[in-house]
């Protein structure tokens, strides 16, 4: 089933399987690298859910109704009880609904989405139980033939790279990259670690046994990320740091080394988008901000990491550039300048430190599904549609895929890889 979105949920609303079109439709849900993706967590804990579901209130009611029904069926399901407990603790909206005992559940009807790529989508849905005991349901969505939603679904379908296009179908969101490196007794530092690519990479480092220092200037998101990793049994430390301030980056590295005694791997990833602008109208403050974070921030982080790694005589650093570091694009001069700069910084420092046991490389992600690209899809929908049309894979990348490349670059498997700017763009820059 590839021409309509379809997904399978268990009783906790974990997504057990989703076809490529459902993954594309639920892109904001799958943007969070946590697996299994969970509808209830997304609905109540992710602020993007309110924009994504035009009728959020009804979705919220239905979500609670499903969980209540399932809790009634099996009051001893600990995983379900844990989920409800977490949602009651973290979401007032959930707690109020849970207390109201409203279990009216809609199995058919219309769902109204505001999709970040294709805009408004009004789709009929039908949910059916596959196995009554297991609480497994399959949900299918469809558009009325000839309606605007039908056109948008078709656009979404080409974006999703279904097998009917002759391309390889992309991996299911449930199948995460799972690099199995052995980083026990090693220490990794990730900047911009509270979300997106940084969080996926910090998680992958932690799952490979490393102690991980997560640095970000968004304190609240940082706390949520470190709490989650700590609860999963990982050794992590959160450091609030604005990488555009050299004093703070020095303190960040000092904290990492102070806490864990060494620093083996660093991913200098923190970055922001610049508002698109005609080069003749670019505001100096926008140029300064994007270069201060995306270029100077990488410079300052790397400088202080090298201070320590030089004394240690070992280390691997990966700097986050972009496809914007490899090619130009109209209206994007400031961002692309900063990302080109990251590559110059990487290559020069890599040559300087190659003989000291320190490897420095860069990754150049193409469009990756994160908060940053979702924002661009909302604010620059036309430009993003153009980019996606030229995407050889027919799909955009995932944060956990970038994480896998970063871990490889940091691992002994890449021991002879130095000063590369690795395009990580599904072939986009080969055009
Ligand atoms: N998503 C993409 O399509 C894409 C493509 C190419 C390159 N990149 C690059 O990947 C990196 C990560 O982006 P993402 O897509 O995960 O975005 P994101 O917005 O999800 O994550 C960026 C993180 O960096 C943090 N951050 C921003 N400014 C900071 C600062 N001054 N100090 C500390 N932390 C700061 C944010 O709080 C956020 O947690 C960025 O450097 C971005 O330029 C992203």
């Amino acid at each position: 089933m590839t021409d309509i979105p379809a997904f399978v949920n268990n009783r906790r609303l974990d997504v057990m399987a989703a076809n490529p079109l459902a993954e594309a439709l639920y892109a904001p849900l799958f943007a969070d690298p946590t697996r299994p993706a969970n509808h209830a967590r997304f609905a109540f804990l992710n602020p993007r859910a309110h924009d994504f579901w035009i009728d959020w209130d009804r979705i919220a009611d239905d979500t609670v109704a499903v969980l209540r029904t399932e809790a009634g069926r099996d009051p001893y399901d600990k995983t379900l009880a844990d989920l409800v407990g977490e949602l009651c603790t973290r979401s007032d909206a959930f707690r109020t609904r849970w207390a109201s005992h409203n279990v009216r559940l809609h199995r058919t009807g219309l769902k109204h989405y505001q999709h970040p790529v294709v805009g408004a989508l009004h789709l009929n849905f039908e949910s059916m139980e596959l196995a009554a005991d297991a609480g497994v349901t399959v949900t299918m969505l469809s558009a009325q033939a000839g309606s605007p939603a039908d056109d948008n679904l078709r656009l979404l379908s080409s974006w999703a790279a279904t097998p009917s296009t002759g391309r390889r179908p992309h991996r299911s969101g449930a199948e995460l990259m799972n690099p199995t490196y052995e980083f026990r007794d090693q220490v990794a530092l990730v900047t911009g670690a509270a979300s997106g690519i940084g969080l996926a990479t910090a998680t992958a480092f932690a799952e490979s046994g490393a102690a991980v220092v997560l640095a970000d200037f968004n304190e609240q998101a940082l706390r949520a990320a470190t709490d989650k990793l700590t609860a999963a049994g990982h050794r992590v430390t959160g450091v609030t740091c604005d990488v555009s301030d050299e004093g703070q980056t020095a303190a960040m590295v000092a904290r990492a080394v102070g806490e864990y005694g060494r620093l083996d791997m660093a991913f200098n990833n923190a970055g922001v988008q610049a508002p698109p602008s005609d080069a003749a109208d670019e505001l100096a403050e926008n140029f300064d901000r994007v270069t201060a974070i995306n270029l100077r921030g990488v410079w300052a982080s790397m400088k202080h990491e090298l201070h320590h790694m030089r004394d240690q005589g070992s280390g691997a650093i990966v700097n986050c550039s972009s496809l914007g570091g490899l090619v130009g694009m109209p209206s994007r001069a400031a961002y692309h300048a900063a990302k080109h700069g990251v590559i110059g910084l990487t290559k020069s420092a890599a040559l300087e430190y190659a003989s000291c046991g320190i490897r420095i490389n860069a990754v150049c992600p193409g469009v990756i599904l994160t908060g940053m690209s979702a924002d661009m899809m909302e604010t620059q929908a036309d430009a993003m549609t153009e980019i996606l049309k030229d995407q050889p894979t027919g799909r955009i990348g995932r944060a956990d895929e970038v994480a896998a490349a970063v871990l490889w670059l940091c691992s002994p498997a890449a021991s002879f890889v130095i000063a590369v700017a690795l395009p990580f763009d599904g072939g986009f820059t080969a055009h």
Side-chain angles (χ1 to χ4, degrees), residues 15-18 23 30 35-37 171-177 398:
V15 182
M16 299 169 73
E23 274 189 49
F30 289 110
R35 293 294 179 272
R171 299 159 52 83
S172 138
E175 295 173 57
L176 271 187
M177 282 294 133
R398 297 194 319 262

Side-chain angles (χ1 to χ4, degrees), residues 75-142:
Y76 302 107
D77 182 332
K78 182 169 177 326
T79 323
L80 179 57
D82 287 348
L83 174 66
V84 170
E86 181 191 353
L87 293 173
C88 280
T89 313
R90 295 179 59 195
S91 165
D92 292 343
F94 182 87
R95 194 168 49 251
T96 316
R97 283 175 170 80
W98 187 259
S100 77
H101 291 256
N102 175 6
V103 291
R104 215 171 104 68
L105 173 62
H106 302 92
R107 292 280 192 202
T108 58
L110 258 183
K111 282 189 199 262
H112 307 281
Y113 304 88
Q114 183 63 35
H115 191 273
V117 174
V118 301
L121 272 169
H122 307 285
L123 302 177
N124 295 305
F125 77 97
E126 185 167 5
S127 295
M128 288 174 293
E129 293 230 347
L130 282 184
D133 285 347
V136 173
T137 57
V138 62
T139 299
M140 288 165 291
L141 298 122
S142 58

Side-chain angles (χ1 to χ4, degrees), residues 94-302:
F94 182 87
R95 194 168 49 251
T96 316
R97 283 175 170 80
W98 187 259
S100 77
H101 291 256
N102 175 6
V103 291
R104 215 171 104 68
L105 173 62
H106 302 92
R107 292 280 192 202
T108 58
L110 258 183
K111 282 189 199 262
H112 307 281
Y113 304 88
Q114 183 63 35
H115 191 273
V117 174
V118 301
L121 272 169
H122 307 285
L123 302 177
N124 295 305
F125 77 97
E126 185 167 5
S127 295
M128 288 174 293
E129 293 230 347
L130 282 184
D133 285 347
V136 173
T137 57
V138 62
T139 299
M140 288 165 291
L141 298 122
S142 58
Q144 201 180 348
S147 66
D150 195 24
D151 291 344
N152 283 348
L153 204 53
R154 252 195 291 274
L155 179 58
L156 195 62
S157 176
S158 66
W159 182 55
T162 59
S164 60
T165 63
R167 295 167 170 162
R168 256 180 87 225
H170 76 247
R171 299 159 52 83
S172 138
E175 295 173 57
L176 271 187
M177 282 294 133
N178 186 18
T180 50
Y181 297 106
E182 177 51 71
F183 289 138
R184 212 161 296 281
D185 300 328
Q186 298 201 37
V187 180
L189 167 65
V190 179
T191 70
S195 67
I197 295 169
L199 177 56
T201 308
T203 304
F205 272 131
E207 286 173 350
S208 298
V212 187
V213 176
L214 292 88
D216 205 290
F217 72 173
N218 181 337
E219 266 183 70
Q220 204 184 353
L222 182 64
R223 197 168 318 112
T226 50
D227 284 355
K228 197 160 165 188
L229 288 170
T230 305
H234 300 302
R235 273 206 313 162
V236 300
T237 300
V239 178
T240 308
C241 171
D242 180 343
V243 296
S244 66
D245 176 333
E246 190 187 351
Q248 293 190 34
T249 58
M252 162 187 84
V253 175
R255 173 91 188 274
V257 175
E259 191 119 350
Y260 295 110
R262 53 186 300 115
L263 179 61
D264 301 287
M265 303 168 288
F267 180 36
N268 299 319
N269 158 78
V272 291
Q273 261 301 338
S277 169
D278 186 308
D281 301 324
E282 183 88 62
L283 296 176
E285 67 206 56
N286 288 347
F287 185 88
D288 288 347
R289 176 163 188 269
V290 77
T291 48
I293 297 173
N294 292 11
L295 179 55
R296 198 173 183 281
V298 172
W299 165 79
S301 303
M302 187 172 73

Side-chain angles (χ1 to χ4, degrees), residues 12-62:
R12 292 180 294 278
L13 295 177
D14 291 331
V15 182
M16 299 169 73
N19 71 1
L21 195 46
E23 274 189 49
L25 173 63
Y26 280 84
L29 167 74
F30 289 110
D32 183 332
T34 308
R35 293 294 179 272
N38 181 282
H39 283 281
R41 276 206 186 84
F42 176 66
F44 287 100
L45 303 182
N46 191 325
R48 284 183 186 281
H50 291 262
D51 299 329
F52 177 60
W53 279 306
I54 295 168
D55 53 348
W56 182 86
D57 277 308
R58 202 183 59 126
I59 297 289
D61 288 345
D62 274 0

Side-chain angles (χ1 to χ4, degrees), residues 406-428:
V406 175
L407 262 67
W408 172 70
L409 283 170
C410 287
S411 77
S415 54
F416 210 55
V417 181
I418 287 175
V420 303
L422 180 71
F424 193 87
D425 59 1
F428 183 87

